[in-house]
């Protein structure tokens, strides 16, 4: 799960880890599906942020429906709002959950990441100086 733009590009860099797996992707821009070259199921949800409360509600409902439909073993996301909802609903349904905060968040963990930390089994930063005792952890960067 990843919002369009940099979040999506970072998620796609992780694709080799899922070779041979049954994978579904979710994003906020229908045009990014072409980057998958038909290799996986793809879902689109409404793009939303903290200033667009009604869109957040709509996006949350859409993500919940996808998670219910897919019943993933693992949810992996690079953010943002759609990723938060996927981690939250995935965790509630028993999925393992991994949040990888965007490399753009060099000074502090993103707001979505801070909220997702409550639900993520694994919570990662891509900046070693943001690693704290416990969470988030730093395992390297995807770029």
């Amino acid at each position: 799960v990843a919002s369009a733009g940099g979040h999506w590009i970072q998620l796609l860099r992780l694709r080799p880890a899922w070779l041979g797996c049954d994978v579904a992707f979710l994003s906020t821009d229908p045009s990014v599906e072409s980057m998958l070259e038909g290799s996986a199921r793809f879902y689109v949800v409404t793009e939303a942020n903290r200033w667009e409360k009604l869109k957040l509600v709509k996006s949350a409902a859409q993500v919940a429906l996808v998670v219910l439909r897919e019943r993933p073993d693992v949810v992996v996301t690079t953010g943002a709002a759609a990723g938060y909802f996927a981690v939250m609903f995935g965790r509630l349904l028993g999925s393992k959950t991994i949040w990888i905060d965007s490399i753009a968040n060099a000074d502090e963990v993103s707001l979505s990441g801070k909220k997702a930390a409550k639900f993520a089994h694994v919570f990662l930063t891509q900046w070693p100086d943001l690693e704290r005792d416990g969470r988030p952890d730093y395992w390297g960067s995807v770029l």
Side-chain angles (χ1 to χ4, degrees), residues 92-141:
L92 292 173
L93 288 175
S95 304
K96 297 295 182 197
T97 56
I98 302 171
W99 179 277
I100 304 166
D101 215 44
S102 173
I103 199 161
N105 300 309
D107 296 324
E108 64 180 330
V109 173
S110 67
L111 177 62
S112 296
K114 289 174 186 173
K115 292 182 176 297
K118 294 176 240 172
F119 299 100
H121 289 95
V122 176
F123 177 43
L124 301 173
T125 177
Q126 296 187 59
W127 294 97
D129 56 319
L130 293 182
E131 182 178 41
R132 302 287 181 262
D133 291 334
R135 306 185 90 182
D137 288 321
Y138 171 76
W139 294 357
S141 98

Side-chain angles (χ1 to χ4, degrees), residues 47-92:
E47 175 68 68
N49 61 50
R50 63 183 168 212
W51 298 285
E52 302 171 311
K53 303 300 185 203
L54 290 176
K55 283 186 176 181
L56 276 174
V57 171
K58 183 176 182 180
S59 181
Q62 292 170 329
V63 172
L65 289 173
V66 171
V67 172
L68 279 168
R69 179 179 180 177
E70 287 289 333
R71 300 275 180 174
D73 294 324
V74 180
V75 172
V76 178
T77 183
T78 54
Y84 163 72
F85 294 131
V87 164
M88 181 180 69
F89 294 128
R91 177 73 181 243
L92 292 173

Side-chain angles (χ1 to χ4, degrees), residues 8-50:
W8 181 254
I9 298 303
Q10 290 173 68
L11 185 70
L12 291 185
R13 298 231 177 202
L14 298 169
R15 285 180 75 189
W18 307 312
L19 287 177
C21 297
D22 180 26
V23 179
F25 286 87
L26 182 149
S27 189
T28 57
D29 180 355
S31 72
V32 301
E33 181 179 14
S34 65
M35 296 177 183
L36 299 175
E37 301 169 340
S39 65
R41 292 178 307 289
F42 179 77
Y43 299 91
V44 177
V45 299
T46 300
E47 175 68 68
N49 61 50
R50 63 183 168 212

